[in-house]
Amino acid sequence: MNRHQAFANGFAAQRKRDDDAYSHPPSDRSDLESKYIWGMQDLVEDEKSDHPFGHRFEPRKTSLHSRNNIKKLLLTAAVAVLLILFLLFPSVRKSFFPGKSVPNQEPFDIETLRYYDLEDVQGTSRGWEREERVLLCTPLRDAAPHLPMFFAHLRNFTYPHHLVDLAFLVSDSKDNTEQLLSDMLEAQQADPDPSQPYGEISVIHKDFGQAVSQDVESRHGFAAQASRRKLMAQARNWLLSAALRPYHSWVYWRDADVETCPFTIIEDLMRHDKDIIVPSKSDRPLPPHLRC
């Protein structure tokens, strides 16, 4: 009996071709399709990674991403450094925010501020050559009879008058000392001779309660010495503290009733180059340069 042979394009032939396709995958299929169909290992692993409890796949970070992170770190560090400089150094803030400023403004250029450089303020033995300023202090009490003689001496001083500042303390006076002093100072400063006017002049009025009379017996009596000298010391200290300025190199105390004194007395005292020189009273006559 003859077996029936199907046509080449029949069902049997089609089945045979399908079986051949599964046993021998065609080369023209894509790689992904082949992996999926044939269950290759790397595709299986990728499918396992999608499990909700498995490790998720993360792509490798590129070099560009790393450079961006470095830039962010450097920028953060620069901002932190600037913030610290702004807080600790005010000059840095002024450089970034100058604001309004007066051009060519000198240091300490404030109208109500006085600045003194005391590096060169020092008394020397030749102060007239270095233009050292002298403060002449004179306490006055009922001194109207002595003022004409006092101003006659002032006119003849050889030390440059513009370098001498005058300070007067009028206290406990019953005569016209203050008015006469004002008139004579005005005449002295208005002298047509340019070498006659003095520097700064201070006239201070302050009473200390001095009750001892100005006559010779009362002034030099033993009983009145303690209270009289105490008030005299207070008056002199007060006058010095009120009139002394940082630019004064010397202080010259001068009583109004001194009758004889060399005109070069200020220079003579400077030449000794001592911090303090005081007169000494004795029966022996003093040298000419110390007679006042």
Side-chain angles (χ1 to χ4, degrees):
M1 184 175 189
N2 293 332
R3 185 181 296 275
H4 174 73
Q5 296 293 334
F7 294 101
N9 55 351
F11 174 78
Q14 181 65 30
R15 183 175 180 181
K16 184 177 183 304
R17 287 194 299 269
D18 292 340
D19 293 339
D20 294 338
Y22 280 100
S23 59
H24 300 287
S27 59
D28 57 348
R29 290 187 178 182
S30 63
D31 183 69
L32 180 61
E33 185 180 359
S34 300
K35 291 179 180 179
Y36 183 77
I37 294 173
W38 300 104
M40 298 185 69
Q41 185 65 29
D42 55 352
L43 184 59
V44 173
E45 294 297 329
D46 292 344
E47 289 178 350
K48 289 182 179 180
S49 63
D50 291 339
H51 193 274
F53 298 100
H55 178 71
R56 299 191 63 181
F57 173 76
E58 294 183 1
R60 181 183 299 176
K61 295 182 179 180
T62 62
S63 58
L64 179 60
H65 185 71
S66 301
R67 287 196 297 268
N68 290 337
N69 288 339
I70 295 176
K71 291 180 180 179
K72 290 179 181 179
L73 290 177
L74 292 177
L75 181 60
T76 303
V79 172
V81 171
L82 286 178
L83 182 60
I84 294 174
L85 292 177
F86 269 53
L87 294 177
L88 298 181
F89 302 98
S91 59
V92 176
R93 294 198 297 268
K94 292 181 180 179
S95 62
F96 281 90
F97 307 101
K100 295 182 179 180
S101 59
V102 180
N104 299 328
Q105 186 177 12
E106 296 294 334
F108 305 105
D109 189 11
I110 304 175
E111 184 178 357
T112 57
L113 176 66
R114 293 182 179 180
Y115 175 75
Y116 300 101
D117 187 359
L118 302 182
E119 291 294 333
D120 297 329
V121 179
Q122 184 178 1
T124 62
S125 61
R126 303 184 68 84
W128 60 93
E129 295 178 354
R130 301 182 68 249
E131 295 190 348
E132 297 174 2
R133 298 191 69 86
V134 178
L135 176 64
L136 191 153
C137 296
T138 301
L140 300 174
R141 177 178 175 233
D142 294 332
H146 307 292
L147 287 180
M149 178 183 60
F150 176 81
F151 275 88
H153 289 305
L154 286 183
R155 291 185 59 84
N156 295 322
F157 279 166
T158 57
Y159 198 86
H161 289 187
H162 68 281
L163 297 176
V164 180
D165 298 331
L166 306 179
F168 300 92
L169 175 62
V170 182
S171 61
D172 301 301
S173 292
K174 300 179 179 60
D175 60 5
N176 62 337
T177 297
E178 192 167 353
Q179 182 59 46
L180 182 60
L181 175 64
S182 178
D183 296 340
M184 301 192 75
L185 283 174
E186 184 177 355
Q188 177 71 29
Q189 296 301 96
D191 194 292
D193 186 355
S195 63
Q196 283 301 321
Y198 279 82
E200 298 179 1
I201 300 177
S202 302
V203 178
I204 304 170
H205 182 105
K206 183 175 177 61
D207 295 331
F208 294 90
Q210 181 68 267
V212 179
S213 177
Q214 285 292 87
D215 58 88
V216 177
E217 291 77 9
S218 300
R219 290 171 57 191
H220 297 285
F222 181 78
Q225 292 305 307
S227 60
R228 175 175 173 269
R229 293 184 179 276
K230 178 181 178 179
L231 294 178
M232 287 176 58
Q234 291 180 357
R236 291 178 181 272
N237 291 337
W238 201 93
L239 174 59
L240 180 63
S241 63
L244 186 64
R245 297 291 181 268
Y247 45 78
H248 289 139
S249 300
W250 297 94
V251 176
Y252 174 43
W253 288 95
R254 174 76 175 223
D255 290 340
D257 58 350
V258 174
E259 296 182 358
T260 60
C261 188
F263 302 146
T264 59
I265 181 61
I266 297 179
E267 295 95 316
D268 295 340
L269 293 175
M270 281 185 180
R271 286 190 179 94
H272 290 277
D273 199 17
K274 302 295 182 180
D275 292 338
I276 300 176
I277 298 179
V278 296
S280 176
K281 183 179 179 181
S282 65
D283 295 337
R284 299 176 58 184
L286 295 175
H289 64 281
L290 294 178
R291 285 183 182 173
C292 59

